[in-house]
Amino acid sequence: MEESALQSRIVMLVDLDYFFAQCEELRNPSIKDKPVVVCVYSGRTEDSGAVSTANYVARAYGVKSGMPIFLAKKKLENTSAVFLPVDYEFYEEISGKVMSILKGFADHFEQVGIDEAYLDVTQRTGGSFEEGRKQAENVKSGVLRQEKLTCTVGVGPNKLIAKISADAKKPDGLTVVTPDQVTAFLGPLHVSRVIGVGAKTTKRMEALRINTISDLSKYDVQGLTAVFGKTLATYFHNASVGIDDEPVQERGEATSISRIATLKHNSRELNFITEKTDELCREIHSTTTKDGLAFKTVGIVVIATDMSIHTRSKTLENATHDLDTLREIVKELLEKFFNQTEVEARRVGVRISNFAKEQKSQRQLLTFMKEHED
Ligand code: TTP
Ligand code: MG
């Protein structure tokens, strides 16, 4: 079947359940029924550090990723809880095996992190969501049979819906959201469920009385633009109505390198700002030298005092790896930007990309947003 003849794409998000803890259960099945907490010990005192993840037995006691270890111990007092240090190498090895199984189920495959991957299954399902559900069941039983691991799968018409639907039911879940269910599915959910809306953005939205995704979809786009800038406002609006065109694509080697920093004080003064961006350029350049990379596109990001995000970029005719060229283009982009706008900068960033293939602009946006949220 030709892709153009299909009504909708079918995208799956596969997320392994309580991954690090499930790996630990795998090599020691006797702990399976106990609370299992995988920890990153900082080494300062015996219990200092944070919880990396916990199995669902431990989660029932309120243990969560990121929680201080002493607090998890308190919550699990008088239980037979098992606390273990992270063993990334072991998890990576298992992840590799699972990912190669998942690849076999996809027309296009994209791993996003150690325990998650997107699978575009449009072609092999002929665009049928019923068939999509069957494939998702096959993925789950295949991973369980071959690697003895459970996972949660979300199926939707794009990556955004696939991801949000996977979050709907965990662990060992399967949620399918067809195009005509998208509005009803998204509407009642809290805005923080939109990918890229972190704690800070959530607060700013709540201040606008945007609580649910339905509220977001009804909010005037111009009003959103005034607060978040045009690029983000457009992204948020599209997301709220379930639109997402980002393709599922294999991530090769790094497709872009970026650095972002907060200025000592808010400014529009070019010399002061380029002092900072020169530093960022040097850092980026040292990475490219290490990796032997030449780049064609140079971008800047300016986060304004009102937290709006602005980006500009320039693509060269020929790839370069020259530091002075990088610094000059950044300066030129900044100069032009500040001439065209009234913006006062709070944070500035530099990005290089286009090493081999064109980078999708939305991915850049989401990466910037992540850095922005941190
Ligand atoms: P997640 O998929 O977010 O979490 P999870 O697999 O543990 O649980 P879920 O069943 O909800 O999918 O993250 C994957 C792994 O990344 C997780 O097993 C441990 C690690 N991780 C951390 O080290 N710190 C964190 O704050 C989070 C969220 C994850
Ligand atoms: Mg997971």
Side-chain angles (χ1 to χ4, degrees):
M1 196 178 224
E2 271 186 38
E3 200 143 4
S4 57
L6 299 167
Q7 297 261 309
S8 165
R9 287 194 294 150
I10 301 195
V11 177
M12 258 185 224
L13 185 273
V14 181
D15 181 349
L16 292 156
D17 297 323
Y18 62 102
F19 183 53
F20 293 1
Q22 201 180 177
C23 290
E24 295 295 344
E25 291 179 357
L26 201 59
R27 64 173 158 191
N28 185 3
S30 71
I31 61 176
K32 219 173 159 53
D33 299 324
K34 302 176 181 174
V36 176
V37 186
V38 178
C39 303
V40 182
Y41 291 99
S42 68
R44 226 171 299 131
T45 67
E46 200 188 325
D47 279 350
S48 64
V51 172
S52 173
T53 195
N55 69 357
Y56 280 77
V57 184
R59 289 184 200 192
Y61 290 88
V63 176
K64 286 183 197 154
S65 294
M67 176 178 279
I69 296 168
F70 75 84
L71 190 56
K73 288 209 162 156
K74 212 156 122 192
K75 289 188 182 284
L76 293 168
E77 236 167 3
N78 305 320
T79 71
S80 53
V82 181
F83 287 79
L84 298 164
V86 281
D87 179 357
Y88 290 108
E89 249 170 69
F90 178 58
Y91 315 144
E92 289 276 6
E93 187 189 320
I94 293 176
S95 164
K97 288 186 199 163
V98 174
M99 293 301 158
S100 67
I101 296 173
L102 296 181
K103 264 183 209 165
F105 282 97
D107 305 331
H108 305 283
F109 178 81
E110 178 178 345
Q111 184 176 345
V112 282
I114 192 165
D115 81 329
E116 263 181 61
Y118 288 103
L119 283 63
D120 187 314
V121 295
T122 311
Q123 291 296 308
R124 65 185 57 209
T125 56
S128 149
F129 274 83
E130 204 175 311
E131 189 53 35
R133 177 185 288 275
K134 277 188 202 149
Q135 296 270 351
E137 278 161 1
N138 292 340
V139 165
K140 285 169 65 73
S141 58
V143 172
L144 186 60
R145 188 169 34 88
Q146 294 181 58
E147 298 304 326
K148 309 270 176 291
L149 290 169
T150 65
C151 60
T152 291
V153 182
V155 183
N158 56 48
K159 287 162 77 170
L160 181 85
I161 303 295
K163 170 81 180 160
I164 300 177
S165 65
D167 291 336
K169 185 177 176 285
K170 283 179 159 194
D172 202 13
L174 170 56
T175 305
V176 181
V177 176
T178 62
D180 52 358
Q181 294 168 336
V182 164
T183 313
F185 172 73
L186 287 181
L189 300 178
H190 194 257
V191 275
S192 57
R193 300 284 288 278
V194 174
I195 318 305
V197 177
K200 285 184 196 169
T201 310
T202 300
K203 276 212 184 103
R204 299 177 69 206
M205 287 196 181
E206 283 172 347
L208 301 172
R209 295 174 183 257
I210 299 172
N211 293 298
T212 63
I213 298 182
S214 165
D215 296 339
L216 181 59
S217 72
K218 288 177 198 145
Y219 204 91
D220 172 49
V221 181
Q222 279 184 338
L224 281 182
T225 305
V227 182
F228 296 104
K230 190 163 192 295
T231 321
L232 272 183
T234 309
Y235 167 73
F236 289 147
H237 179 77
N238 284 342
S240 75
V241 292
I243 296 173
D244 165 35
D245 294 327
E246 211 185 335
V248 173
Q249 57 188 0
E250 188 85 39
R251 295 195 184 178
E253 297 296 301
T255 44
S256 72
I257 302 174
S258 64
R259 290 286 184 278
I260 196 159
T262 305
L263 296 168
K264 285 215 178 70
H265 55 81
N266 299 339
S267 173
R268 305 183 24 88
E269 198 210 316
L270 194 62
N271 283 341
F272 175 70
I273 293 169
T274 50
E275 249 174 58
K276 187 48 98 184
T277 54
D278 281 355
E279 258 173 53
L280 302 178
C281 287
R282 268 195 300 276
E283 280 177 41
I284 289 176
H285 185 256
S286 72
T287 316
T288 59
T289 340
K290 222 167 33 205
D291 298 346
L293 290 172
F295 49 91
K296 267 178 96 170
T297 301
V298 176
I300 55 157
V301 58
V302 174
I303 297 173
T305 43
D306 66 358
M307 297 312 257
S308 58
I309 302 177
H310 309 262
T311 60
R312 297 286 188 275
S313 68
K314 178 174 176 169
T315 299
L316 303 165
E317 211 131 326
N318 299 303
T320 178
H321 43 69
D322 183 48
L323 175 60
D324 287 335
T325 311
L326 174 61
R327 288 208 308 233
E328 263 153 43
I329 298 170
V330 168
K331 187 172 174 184
E332 177 190 320
L333 289 169
L334 286 168
E335 190 165 16
K336 223 165 152 186
F337 173 76
F338 286 107
N339 281 336
Q340 288 170 349
T341 64
E342 307 273 84
V343 163
E344 196 178 21
R346 194 177 113 81
R347 306 184 76 199
V348 288
V350 175
R351 163 184 300 266
I352 56 169
S353 58
N354 216 343
F355 305 128
K357 280 188 283 179
E358 272 276 326
Q359 174 79 351
K360 278 292 291 178
S361 59
Q362 189 175 326
R363 166 111 13 95
Q364 293 183 16
L365 171 70
L366 287 175
T367 312
F368 275 137
M369 283 165 59
K370 237 191 219 149
E371 287 160 353
H372 170 58
E373 283 284 350
D374 280 347

